[in-house]
Amino acid sequence: MVSDGRRRISLGDFRHEALSETSSTNNECLARARAGDGGNLWVTAERQTGGRGRRGRLWVSERGNLYASLLLIDPAPMECLSSLPLAVAVAVHQAIRQVLPPGAEPLEVKWPNDILIGRKKTCGILVEGERLPDGRYALIVGIGINVSVMPDNPLYPVTCLRQHASAASPEELFAHLFAAMADVLDQWDEGRGIAEITARWRAIACGIGEKITVNLPDRSISGQFAGIDDNGLLMLDTGTGRIMPIAAGDVFFG
């Protein structure tokens, strides 16, 4: 067997601290980073008192679900970080797949990284970063998965694993996530493996070829979801003869 010369990522590279309650596992990871933590640290909590989703939205965090954040320090060159959310989505999908019974409704990823079961949201992912005073870059991957509790969400239909005959506990699901994330980050390889990651993402994507509306901070745009490019940007066919690349936005089907 010929080695490619790079350092492989393995389960032994990661640590895990389990908390009963915290304001936010993302906040906890950021505090650890500011205090000098070297990264590759998972923090989980049974309950969050200040969980949040994208754009500062409240993420209801009662006991019974999985709330987990992973702290990474300088995980890749800055120009490669845009593909990391795709890799995270692939890992979370892989973990949830392990605890769903055969015959469950389709498990898919909605761009960029919401996980859907039967077109209903069961997981949200929030990636945040901060340049630390010592020059290191802290990147935090926050993951909330509805295991047995299903908060109301006026924006999207929601579901939880219990509704799909999964008996997995948050702890069992996290064990799968812990392993899947190490596997996928190894394949991502600090952004060098983006081609493999985007191929895996496309294979589990929801809605490619369908009509979608993308809500941007200042407007909404509709068109056909033409897939993603090799850097993970959403490609929207607006019907005007050109494809519009979109880096961030909320996607709605139909």
Side-chain angles (χ1 to χ4, degrees):
M1 181 176 178
V2 178
S3 170
D4 60 9
R6 71 179 178 92
R7 182 184 177 279
R8 311 295 303 211
I9 294 175
S10 68
L11 290 178
D13 292 324
F14 296 89
R15 296 165 292 135
H16 173 216
E17 182 165 338
L19 306 176
S20 174
E21 183 176 295
T22 186
S23 64
S24 156
T25 54
N26 269 29
N27 289 349
E28 190 70 32
C29 280
L30 184 56
R32 303 296 178 90
R34 290 169 175 168
D37 193 281
N40 286 5
L41 171 67
W42 280 102
V43 174
T44 58
E46 295 177 22
R47 181 175 182 268
Q48 297 181 122
T49 58
R52 63 187 184 279
R54 287 198 300 269
R55 302 185 186 178
R57 296 174 185 139
L58 174 68
W59 186 271
V60 178
S61 308
E62 296 303 324
R63 296 182 191 276
N65 290 341
L66 175 60
Y67 312 110
S69 294
L70 173 61
L71 169 64
L72 301 171
I73 300 293
D74 294 325
M78 294 298 293
E79 63 271 17
C80 297
L81 288 180
S82 62
S83 62
L84 181 60
L86 299 181
V88 171
V90 168
V92 176
H93 182 279
Q94 180 176 317
I96 294 177
R97 168 62 62 204
Q98 297 297 312
V99 301
L100 282 180
E105 291 187 75
L107 177 67
E108 301 170 301
V109 178
K110 180 169 77 71
W111 186 87
N113 54 17
D114 283 342
I115 310 298
L116 311 183
I117 306 175
R119 293 287 174 108
K120 295 180 179 180
K121 182 173 177 176
T122 194
C123 172
I125 298 168
L126 178 65
V127 180
E128 300 179 302
E130 179 179 298
R131 179 68 65 183
L132 301 171
D134 61 6
R136 300 179 306 152
Y137 187 77
L139 192 139
I140 298 104
V141 178
I143 300 165
I145 303 177
N146 296 340
V147 177
S148 60
V149 181
M150 193 173 60
D152 290 331
N153 188 327
L155 295 176
Y156 312 103
V158 295
T159 190
C160 65
L161 298 185
R162 287 289 179 274
Q163 287 204 329
H164 300 273
S166 172
S169 65
E171 292 76 17
E172 179 185 349
L173 177 58
F174 176 69
H176 289 292
L177 179 60
F178 189 93
M181 192 65 73
D183 171 64
V184 171
L185 288 178
D186 180 66
Q187 184 177 43
W188 182 63
D189 188 22
E190 299 182 358
R192 289 182 287 267
I194 183 57
E196 293 84 354
I197 293 299
T198 52
R200 291 181 65 178
W201 191 95
R202 290 183 182 111
I204 56 177
C206 178
I208 292 179
E210 295 183 21
K211 179 177 173 57
I212 62 171
T213 297
V214 183
N215 286 355
L216 306 176
D218 59 342
R219 58 186 169 139
S220 295
I221 306 175
S222 295
Q224 185 183 58
F225 182 19
I228 60 172
D229 70 5
D230 290 340
N231 294 312
L233 298 183
L234 182 148
M235 309 304 290
L236 186 69
D237 184 349
T238 61
T240 60
R242 72 185 187 95
I243 302 293
M244 176 183 295
I246 297 175
D250 290 326
V251 172
F252 297 85
F253 297 108

